[in-house]
Amino acid sequence: MSRLHPSVPALLLSVALLVGCSGQKSLEDASPPSSADVERRAPAGVIKGTVVDASNGDVLKGANVVVPERGIGAAANKDGRFQISSVRPGTVRVTANFVGYRSGATEVTLTDSTGAVVDFALSPQTEGLEEVVVTAMGQESQARGQRNGWVAMPAPMGRYAPPVDREGYARIEETGFRRVTDAPLSTFAIDVDGAAYSNLRRFIREGETPPVDAIRIEELLNYFSYDDPAPAANSDQPFAVTMETATAPWAEDHSLLRIGIQGKEVSASERPPSNLVFLLDVSGSMQRPNKLPLLKNAFQLLTEQLRPQDHVAIVVYAGASGTVLEPTSGSEKEEILGAINELRAGGSTAGRAGMEAAYAMAETHMDPDGINRVILATDGDFNVGPSSDAEMIRLVEEKRETGVFLTVLGFGTGNLQDSKMEQMANHGNGTYHYIDSALEARKVLVSELGGTLQTIAKDVKLQVEFNPRHVGAYRLIGYENRRLNNEDFADDTKDAGDLGAGHHVTALYELVPPGADGDVAGRGQLKYQNRTESDRASSDEWLTLSLRYKQPDSDSSRLMAEALVPEERAGVSTDFQFAAAVAGFGMLLRDSEYAGTLTLADVRRLAEEGRGDDVDGYRAGFISLLEDYRRMAGDDANERP
């Protein structure tokens, strides 16, 4: 049975729950089904339907439809249609949300053989959506949210203009295979950003193919958690390392190596006090519903997680920058939420001035024993004052040396400056996330808050030395803009990636068996290359993985190393299968020449086999996304794109 949730103020047009294999009936009509009804039937494990504006019937492209208790959902595409796949049988609550509209919710029951069709019509919620012009006045303001000279001036907003298609992505040059005899070492920095995956999801669920350069495979991999063991409680290491190999799904004569790094968990009670500065973009480009309104929702979620020992200040910027909240204890949540709620958008974007003001605030209230971090939320569209990529990177590099780190949250579509935000986070000892929904905001700022805020290891570098006896050539999948020169590995002045509490890093190498010999002389202290052929033949080690990292408050790195001797096993882990599926999907989207025989059907099979327990539901969400892409691509979806 399906029923409307009593607290829902939005109009729910229809809920058609399909029962049985024949003679199916909707809730509202007991007569025999028409041909249109039959076409709208949902197969087992599927919830599908549409989301529209109740006032005029316009489709709500990008609306989020979620099954909260299962942690899965989908976004409405350009036709307003959504489909959530891989929903296990049972009664579930389904919610529909779109920023600027009242939410809708209902309950449906799925059986082993039937799904459900749910059509939502959401009513506009106009309060709080006025356009606001923000100006610096140099006088004491009298209302919360207008402190230190900030005055909000309402103006009629009208309909939102369509986004300008000028999103910025850095070019990715996919790296090919390298012969071990020519290049025995592979060196790179870790990357725990997840922005590329949620951005890819946004494109597909809006019915668009993502740009090739938006597909950073390492970020697709590292969006998900894996079941690798964490370091022992009494270990002084901040992370533990796992390695496994199996046949590459797209090339049966190649092997695939998975490296997993699991960071130590730190509970909220053990986390040091936080000195946080929310740096919020309130310029005119942020006025759309998927920008400032979603931003406010995200920071409301974060505020609810604050403890009394945490302190938050809020700096905003538009045509100029200003402080709307001085450092305030996490126990004063109403004060913080009030400042967030009163934010309005308007004006140009003085991003550099905002950055300098936020860092100055964080440094003034620096806690030498705590977490000191600026959290920037923006579309990255800086257009007033010095704001080139090089200038912004120099600024965050300078400030990271003071102990203030940077997290970047990207919002919106049309003018998303992805490349700028990724580089700022990389050089600011932080992470970059793209927030496409309230569900993603909850993942980053609630479920994974410890990793978002607390760094447990900085400048983490990996270097792999391959044994030519067992590996003839190799290819690192992804990490194109995180690769380092081999000599950078032992150079503690070279910046690298940072690992947050509980964060996980996955890296994949495709390995080719030996096929050629070569002389690699004069390369220093190499483990395998300086041995004789007979010595190498006696070694079962395929490779040695070395890692360097620094404690968050140290300038000197520590070294750890581990050799890999592949073990005979009956099968591969679900983590291996799922990681291979994610990387394979990325290669298909990039139309990679290295995707071999892989098809979308292969990716779907691997993902299903690698789903595992999936406690948080994110792997089911990936499977649902594959189905969205298959429907979008049509009959050619199971061929190479």
Side-chain angles (χ1 to χ4, degrees), residues 265-283:
E265 295 279 357
V266 178
S267 67
S269 62
E270 297 174 310
R271 192 167 64 237
S274 296
N275 164 37
L276 305 177
V277 179
F278 297 169
L279 176 57
L280 310 181
D281 183 350
V282 295
S283 63

Side-chain angles (χ1 to χ4, degrees), residues 283-337:
S283 63
S285 67
M286 292 292 291
Q287 66 179 325
R288 293 179 58 79
N290 61 0
K291 292 189 178 182
L292 185 59
L294 179 57
L295 179 157
K296 290 163 67 173
N297 179 272
F299 281 86
Q300 289 161 357
L301 290 171
L302 174 53
T303 298
E304 294 295 343
Q305 309 308 308
L306 297 175
R307 307 160 303 172
Q309 62 267 41
D310 301 324
H311 287 79
V312 168
I314 301 178
V315 174
V316 299
Y317 64 92
S321 65
T323 301
V324 298
L325 184 72
E326 294 288 343
T328 302
S329 168
S331 62
E332 302 294 330
K333 289 184 173 56
E334 290 187 8
E335 183 82 359
I336 302 169
L337 292 171

Side-chain angles (χ1 to χ4, degrees), residues 400-401 429 458-459 461 490-494 549-558:
R400 80 184 181 212
E401 299 304 320
N429 281 13
K458 68 179 184 180
D459 292 340
K461 307 171 189 176
D491 185 348
D492 284 349
T493 67
K494 294 294 184 181
Y549 69 93
K550 299 173 187 172
Q551 296 288 351
D553 57 354
S554 175
D555 293 326
S556 300
S557 67
R558 299 183 179 185

Side-chain angles (χ1 to χ4, degrees), residues 45-46 70 72 85-92 110-112 611-614 620:
V46 170
R70 302 287 176 87
I72 57 177
S85 303
S86 303
V87 186
R88 295 189 178 100
T91 299
V92 296
L110 289 79
T111 70
D112 289 333
R611 180 168 174 173
D613 292 336
D614 194 25

Side-chain angles (χ1 to χ4, degrees), residues 38 41 49 52 54 130 136 157 182-183 204 208 231 256 279 358 398 424 430 496 556 566 574 603 612 627:
V38 172
R41 290 174 178 170
V52 302
E130 301 88 3
M157 185 166 167
D182 295 331
I204 292 177
E208 301 175 14
L256 191 64
L279 176 57
E398 173 190 335
M424 288 172 62
S556 300
T574 55
V603 171
E627 181 62 20

Side-chain angles (χ1 to χ4, degrees), residues 2 121 132 195 264 288 547 588 621:
S2 173
V132 175
K264 183 177 292 187
R288 293 179 58 79
L547 301 97
L588 290 180

